[in-house]
Amino acid sequence: MAILTPSAAAIAEAGRHLRAGGLVGVPTETVYGLAGDATSDRAVAHIFDLKGRPRFNPLIVHVETLAAAERLAIFDRGARFLAQRRWPGPLTLILPRRAEAPISLLATAGLDTVAIRVPDHPVALQLIAAAGRPLAIPSANPSGAVSPTTAAHVETGFGGRLAMVLDGGACPVGVESTVLDLTGPRPRLLRPGGASLDQLVAAIGEIDVPTDDPARPRAPGQLASHYAPSLPVILDPPAPLPGMALLAFGDKERAAGWAEIVNLSPTGDLRAAAAELFAALRDLDDPARFSAIGVESVPDQGLGLAINDRLRRAAAPRGDGR
Ligand code: TXA
Ligand code: MG
């Protein structure tokens, strides 16, 4: 895999690669994404294959502007109001898909809705411009694994199976976008993420926050086990098991005996913790050094909702019984 500094020449080359149906790793403000031409069935099929992603789990279409988004989806006044205030940014809106939208039906998994966002990252925006078309961009990790926040993480996930990744350094937000469904009678939160729920409620009023029922995922992709390292993950363990590392948060008394403690933010800063979360989980996922990873939950406010969601899913029972 070529890890490219995102010069004008590299972005132009990546744009040509996308127009020819290829895939490109790209930084966004949330996590690194695996970009492909959203209008091409072939490119979108390649994304699903490379990630090993179930085809019923639709992709987010990334565009450069609200005007471009309005060509693909139907915005009512509320949706437009929110988009004007929160885009570019870590907010994905689920909206009715326009019948004439030139988006691959595979990208939206055959649904009559489409997930759209305008990312707040210069490299992602330049890449969309260079491609000259909407891009389908899921997180650049094999399906079910921890999301990448550096170009090196993308390399670890896909290696030689992906031609190029644009290296924009570490992603500033560190957790994926908030997914908000605006197609029902009331706005519904499908995935807590980088845009805080409080800010969204302040902008548009009440938002339904469905409780998690692992048997009935809210979004097609919100399966219980996700973001899973290879080691077992235990949420809020009362005491260390032998060889257990701890992903900690804040300044508090802790039992002795942890094999290692990595603190996401000793001062209790949720933004800093979100930015470090996935890299820290990856670092601790080392079976040669540890037997398991304990994770401390964080306050359920602001970015803490997204962090706790990812920690719960990392710790959820996995299909293979681990
Ligand atoms: O921050 C992000 O959103 C990153 C960066 C790369 O932009 N992308 C990302 O994509 O997280 P992905 O594919 O890993 O997650 C997309 C989520 C999934 O949970 C999927 O089920 C949901 O969005 N989704 C996509 N289209 C949907 C739709 N039409 N209705 C409901 N949920 C949808
Ligand atoms: Mg993902």
Side-chain angles (χ1 to χ4, degrees):
M1 174 188 298
I3 298 186
L4 305 174
T5 301
S7 63
I11 287 172
E13 184 194 343
R16 281 192 297 275
H17 189 60
L18 287 168
R19 284 199 300 278
L23 306 184
V24 174
V26 62
T28 79
E29 80 279 33
T30 57
V31 299
Y32 272 73
L34 181 63
D37 178 352
T39 69
S40 158
D41 287 332
R42 195 167 66 88
V44 171
H46 191 180
I47 292 177
F48 279 97
D49 290 347
L50 192 58
K51 280 182 62 82
R53 178 172 175 125
R55 299 249 173 156
F56 58 78
N57 187 5
L59 306 176
I60 300 172
V61 175
H62 292 58
V63 293
E64 222 189 330
T65 60
L66 172 57
E70 295 219 28
R71 290 196 282 276
L72 307 177
I74 299 165
F75 284 68
D76 64 12
R77 281 175 53 199
R80 193 170 298 123
F81 181 83
L82 207 47
Q84 281 163 344
R85 270 153 197 80
R86 292 282 149 217
W87 284 353
L91 174 65
T92 294
L93 299 179
I94 310 294
L95 297 165
R97 179 189 160 120
R98 282 193 190 280
E100 70 276 17
I103 299 295
S104 159
L105 289 173
L106 201 51
T108 52
L111 300 172
D112 53 10
T113 59
V114 58
I116 308 193
R117 83 178 190 103
V118 178
D120 187 14
H121 195 292
V123 176
L125 291 170
Q126 286 161 27
L127 185 67
I128 299 167
R133 59 200 67 189
L135 299 179
I137 318 186
S139 52
N141 52 278
S143 185
V146 177
S147 296
T149 53
T150 66
H153 294 163
V154 179
E155 161 110 79
T156 304
F158 298 125
R161 297 190 300 144
L162 179 63
M164 63 177 89
V165 57
L166 296 166
D167 187 353
C171 300
V173 175
V175 291
E176 298 85 347
S177 61
T178 301
V179 179
L180 189 65
D181 183 357
L182 297 181
T183 62
R186 273 150 55 105
R188 266 177 96 226
L189 181 73
L190 299 186
R191 176 175 77 182
S196 92
L197 186 60
D198 312 340
Q199 286 176 357
L200 299 179
V201 170
I204 56 164
E206 252 181 282
I207 294 175
D208 285 345
V209 180
T211 48
D212 250 328
D213 178 351
R216 292 184 37 209
R218 298 178 221 168
Q222 293 293 78
L223 305 173
S225 172
H226 210 115
Y227 313 103
S230 62
L231 285 176
V233 176
I234 298 164
L235 188 60
D236 291 321
L241 299 170
M244 194 175 196
L246 182 68
L247 188 62
F249 176 83
D251 181 21
K252 57 185 137 201
E253 286 287 317
R254 293 188 179 89
W258 298 100
E260 166 127 18
I261 298 181
V262 170
N263 199 319
L264 288 175
S265 171
T267 59
D269 178 341
L270 289 167
R271 276 179 191 281
E276 295 302 322
L277 175 66
F278 290 142
L281 264 180
R282 284 166 177 268
D283 286 346
L284 291 178
D285 191 19
D286 184 352
R289 296 166 64 212
F290 308 120
S291 62
I293 308 170
V295 296
E296 288 181 352
S297 56
V298 305
D300 249 326
Q301 64 198 41
L303 281 175
L305 289 176
I307 296 172
N308 284 335
D309 172 80
R310 307 309 186 263
L311 293 177
R312 271 197 300 276
R313 288 176 206 285
R318 302 172 192 175
D320 60 2
R322 274 182 301 163

